[in-house]
Amino acid sequence: MAEAYTIVFQPSGRRGEVPAGKTVLAAAQELGVGIEASCGGKGVCGKCRIIVEEGRFEKLGLVSGASHVSERGETEEKFFTEDELSRGYRLACLTQITGDLVVTVPEESRSVKQVILEKGKKRTFTINPAVKQYTIKLPAPTLEDARDDRRRLLDVLEEKEGLSGLTVDYPVLRTLPRTLRENDWLVTVSVWQGKEVIRVESGEAPHSLGIAIDIGTTTLAAFLCDLVTGELLSKASRMNPEIGYGEDVLARISYAMANEDGGEKLQRAMQDAVSELAAQMTGEIGRTPSEVDEMVLVYNTAMHHFTLGLDSRYVGRSPFAPAASDALDIKARDLGILINPSANIHSLPIEAGFVGADNVAVLLAEEPYNSESVKLIIDIGTNGEIDLGNKERLLSTSCATGPALEGAQIAFGMRAAPGAIERIEINPETYEPRYKVIGKDEWFPDISFTGAQGICGSGIIDVVAELYRAGIISKAGRINTKLDTPRVRKDDKGKAEYVLAWAPETAVHKDIVITQGDIRAVQLAKGAIYVGAKYLMEKYGIDHVDEVILAGAFGSYINKKSAMALGMFPDCALEKVQAVGNAAGDGARIALLNVEKRKEAAKVAREVEFIETAVEPDFQTRFMEALAIPHAKDEFPHLKEGDA
């Protein structure tokens, strides 16, 4: 019997055992991982590009590297640059597996594109960017006026625009003589914060561009804006490339510590991703990345450290002290981001521990600190952040929800993509499901073939809530194996499962099931969120909230009734539960387009009270109570029949 090895595909998180000698492409096809291979795996199209990751992956429990695959031949080498070869690029169809492996499928090689939330709700704000442009005409030098070019530029800016004490960034100075003379001394000057000249262009130049990016643990959402009008010109999104080094931040911190160049790899992956997003968005509107004069980044504390190249080891251990928490302004060239090298990259402040700049951005967008009513804001992701309060007082905390709610650690879990089951209903009498698959308008069983491949986050929340409502699982989350339905069965190891979707008879894929372990993973995630919210309410001195705001991807796609039925957040009138989309991305855009909001963000970050819930003496007891569906003790009057 051939020896078998473990292979993990990122960013999908699919994992499986495959026999030695099988190609990575064959393994991907067997495990349902979509990789482009238009030539059918003959090694001639060069589209099945993958990256073989190097290092020890503690969270995954394996070591991966180039020695765990067959050697690269001349056929492969012609498809890659020297830089790509050094980074572990291979063709999946020609790469045989000889050991445990972690493989990243880059964006361009994925046959199934992810559905990533980019949109937020409509918001109004004042346009006051950090970068302003001035079109000026300089007098040409003469024997009587032999001022140097730099001084001539600065003198005119002071005389005509009232800008004094300016400096000129070095890359601008290098090309200044030629630029000034190209159009008879007519130039457009970009000035940052009224302090520094960061770009000089010949003639009347188009408006400066700015980019705001929400760097999530799992996804990136980027927004390209006109810095003069505030108009959203383009938007783009992709999976976070660092997933190849760990699905959650602790796994990535572990990777950075266990591998000498781990931190550098994490930062480089992000540098490349951000630069590619800039090139993609500017290309879509016929501009270039060099015209991007300002960027704002928001992220959780660990992603902040990875992106900025800061030592992350102490963020992952008590007392979770960050290297820097205040807002930072860093030159693009110093971060290796390929936009205007003189551009500034602004990093919003982080609050404390694992409550990062992304949460500050959410607060900036939602402004609970200006509200009369008490708001509970939940940004649900791999790392969840929770805020509670109003203009009188504001509290925050973080909770490790893990990747289960995004499809990882679930037997048939997958990211939100075509083929993922996203909505589910279960008949409490027949135990038969109805479900909708991304990419299909009709629901099963209205259509017999849905092409279902797995289940994504919104579907996971739906199915557990529906299993409980239908009486298939108990309050404790246990599957009732005594029900008279073929949908409930035991696997070959004797463990209970619910069959959500039968595999077609001609398909090689298996039935899509919800296992007892899946239900437990969801309980752990929702319990962490619920306990965090209840602690904040207790510290605030209230027994109910006026509003619940769901932010992030889940805030737009989950069924809020299912979320409350599951016990993801405390009881609230459902009409007071609202989804606001990508509030962190909105906050980043607000900070990009209005420098005064950056001051507001700094003030809020310092004033919000961070509550460390894990150190509470009764945390474990309360957490165990919150694992029950919807809760072991707490009442949910708004879930009564007719309201939910």
Side-chain angles (χ1 to χ4, degrees):
M1 186 173 180
E3 190 171 0
Y5 297 108
T6 299
I7 184 168
V8 179
F9 286 94
Q10 300 290 19
S12 69
R14 284 294 177 90
R15 177 182 185 133
E17 298 287 326
V18 296
K22 185 182 287 288
T23 66
V24 173
L25 180 60
Q29 292 167 340
E30 184 176 301
L31 294 172
V33 177
I35 297 180
E36 290 281 2
S38 57
C39 70
K42 296 181 176 64
V44 295
C45 71
K47 292 187 176 181
C48 61
R49 296 154 60 93
I50 57 165
I51 302 171
V52 173
E53 301 294 356
E54 292 270 355
R56 180 179 296 278
F57 296 81
E58 302 286 355
K59 196 72 179 285
L60 298 175
L62 55 82
V63 175
S64 174
S67 62
H68 292 193
V69 293
S70 57
E71 292 186 6
R72 184 191 296 114
E74 292 182 6
T75 303
E76 281 188 85
E77 291 181 355
K78 68 181 181 182
F79 289 106
F80 304 111
T81 64
E82 287 297 324
D83 179 60
E84 288 172 335
L85 291 173
S86 68
R87 292 163 60 192
Y89 272 80
R90 298 292 302 268
L91 291 183
C93 66
L94 299 179
T95 304
Q96 294 178 314
I97 300 165
T98 61
D100 293 340
L101 209 58
V102 176
V103 170
T104 294
V105 184
E107 190 88 11
E108 67 271 17
S109 300
R110 297 174 203 157
S111 59
V112 177
K113 304 304 180 186
Q114 305 294 334
V115 177
I116 298 174
L117 179 73
E118 301 163 353
K119 64 184 179 181
K121 74 177 186 182
K122 290 185 178 180
R123 306 176 192 273
T124 58
F125 48 89
T126 303
I127 306 299
N128 181 24
V131 176
K132 292 184 170 62
Q133 286 180 294
Y134 305 89
T135 300
I136 57 175
K137 176 83 172 183
L138 281 65
T142 64
L143 290 175
E144 291 75 27
D145 179 11
R147 286 175 295 172
D148 63 77
D149 292 343
R150 174 183 173 279
R151 175 46 51 198
R152 188 176 303 276
L153 175 71
L154 296 181
D155 285 349
V156 173
L157 284 169
E158 183 170 7
E159 292 164 9
K160 295 187 176 181
E161 305 294 344
L163 299 170
S164 60
L166 292 178
T167 60
V168 180
D169 197 32
Y170 175 65
V172 177
L173 190 61
R174 292 183 62 188
T175 59
L176 185 62
R178 183 182 71 250
T179 305
L180 292 177
R181 291 164 175 80
E182 280 180 348
N183 203 343
D184 195 25
W185 298 87
L186 179 68
V187 292
T188 300
V189 185
S190 296
V191 179
W192 179 74
Q193 297 273 42
K195 300 175 182 177
E196 182 181 47
V197 175
I198 62 169
R199 188 156 62 98
V200 178
E201 288 188 279
S202 173
E204 294 189 28
H207 293 171
S208 282
L209 303 176
I211 293 177
I213 306 182
D214 172 21
I215 299 178
T217 305
T218 304
T219 61
L220 309 183
F223 308 86
L224 177 68
C225 301
D226 184 314
L227 290 182
V228 176
T229 66
E231 180 185 359
L232 177 62
L233 302 173
S234 180
K235 58 186 179 181
S237 55
R238 62 172 51 198
M239 303 302 292
N240 187 322
E242 293 179 355
I243 287 177
Y245 304 102
E247 289 181 333
D248 56 45
V249 295
L250 292 179
R252 292 177 207 174
I253 291 173
S254 175
Y255 179 87
M257 293 174 62
N259 299 274
E260 188 176 346
D261 60 348
E264 294 176 10
K265 285 185 176 180
L266 288 165
Q267 186 183 27
R268 183 171 179 176
M270 190 56 64
Q271 289 170 341
D272 291 346
V274 171
S275 296
E276 288 165 7
L277 284 169
Q280 175 186 338
M281 291 188 295
T282 54
E284 288 173 356
I285 63 167
R287 304 281 292 275
T288 65
S290 63
E291 297 174 85
V292 176
D293 287 335
E294 183 83 350
M295 183 178 283
V296 170
L297 302 179
V298 301
Y299 22 40
N300 63 44
T301 309
M303 294 308 308
H304 166 277
H305 281 51
F306 298 149
T307 304
L308 302 184
L310 304 177
D311 191 339
S312 61
R313 76 186 74 183
Y314 305 109
V315 176
R317 63 178 70 160
S318 183
F320 315 109
S325 58
D326 291 335
L328 298 173
D329 290 302
I330 304 170
K331 289 292 184 183
R333 60 180 179 267
D334 293 334
L335 280 182
I337 305 298
L338 301 181
I339 55 175
N340 174 5
S342 297
N344 176 74
I345 294 182
H346 182 79
S347 174
L348 281 180
I350 59 180
E351 291 177 29
F354 281 106
V355 182
D358 51 356
N359 191 61
V360 175
V362 170
L363 294 175
L364 204 59
E366 288 302 311
E367 298 185 351
Y369 46 82
N370 291 328
S371 171
E372 294 284 349
S373 60
V374 178
K375 297 182 178 182
L376 175 66
I377 304 173
I378 306 174
D379 193 352
I380 310 168
T382 307
N383 187 64
E385 284 95 24
I386 308 172
D387 301 290
L388 176 78
N390 59 6
K391 67 179 185 179
E392 301 298 330
R393 187 184 179 197
L394 195 59
L395 309 180
S396 74
T397 191
S398 65
C399 55
T401 54
L405 297 179
E406 295 179 291
Q409 298 179 351
I410 301 296
F412 282 84
M414 61 183 289
R415 311 295 183 196
I421 298 174
E422 62 172 340
R423 295 295 304 279
I424 297 154
E425 296 174 356
I426 297 177
N427 187 312
E429 296 181 0
T430 65
Y431 310 118
E432 286 295 307
R434 293 185 69 243
Y435 57 81
K436 183 182 180 302
V437 174
I438 295 177
K440 300 287 185 180
D441 293 329
E442 300 87 359
W443 286 53
F444 173 87
D446 297 336
I447 52 172
S448 58
F449 181 74
T450 62
Q453 299 173 19
I455 182 169
C456 66
S458 59
I460 290 165
I461 292 170
D462 257 8
V463 74
V464 178
E466 285 291 295
L467 287 171
Y468 175 68
R469 188 180 69 85
I472 297 171
I473 63 174
S474 67
K475 194 177 185 70
R478 302 295 299 178
I479 298 174
N480 183 358
T481 57
K482 297 180 180 180
L483 295 175
D484 183 19
T485 170
R487 293 278 178 179
V488 175
R489 69 187 188 192
K490 292 185 178 181
D491 64 15
D492 54 7
K493 295 181 180 178
K495 295 183 178 180
E497 60 187 22
Y498 174 83
V499 182
L500 179 59
W502 302 108
E505 292 182 5
T506 58
V508 296
H509 299 297
K510 301 177 181 178
D511 299 331
I512 297 174
V513 302
I514 304 301
T515 70
Q516 189 67 68
D518 295 342
I519 296 167
R520 186 63 172 177
V522 172
Q523 287 178 278
L524 292 171
K526 74 95 178 178
I529 295 170
Y530 189 90
V531 170
K534 289 293 286 188
Y535 269 122
L536 293 188
M537 291 170 63
E538 183 179 282
K539 300 293 183 183
Y540 199 88
I542 56 175
D543 59 8
H544 71 281
V545 295
D546 299 321
E547 296 179 53
V548 174
I549 296 171
L550 303 176
F554 287 105
S556 288
Y557 293 111
I558 64 172
N559 182 327
K560 61 185 181 182
K561 294 180 182 179
S562 293
M564 187 185 289
L566 187 60
M568 186 169 285
F569 50 85
D571 184 72
C572 181
L574 283 170
E575 65 268 19
K576 292 295 185 180
V577 179
Q578 62 169 316
V580 296
N582 190 350
D586 286 349
R589 286 174 58 198
I590 290 169
L592 173 70
L593 297 170
N594 189 344
V595 289
E596 292 302 314
K597 286 293 184 178
R598 300 182 189 183
K599 297 176 183 177
E600 191 173 305
K603 182 175 182 291
V604 170
R606 299 287 74 83
E607 291 181 352
V608 64
E609 301 173 45
F610 176 71
I611 306 297
E612 180 57 75
T613 59
V615 300
E616 295 290 333
D618 61 346
F619 176 82
Q620 285 300 326
T621 299
R622 295 175 68 163
F623 180 64
M624 293 302 294
E625 292 174 348
L627 296 182
I629 303 173
H631 192 274
K633 296 180 178 178
D634 292 355
E635 298 293 329
F636 286 78
H638 289 99
L639 284 179
K640 66 179 183 293
E641 189 173 352
D643 201 17

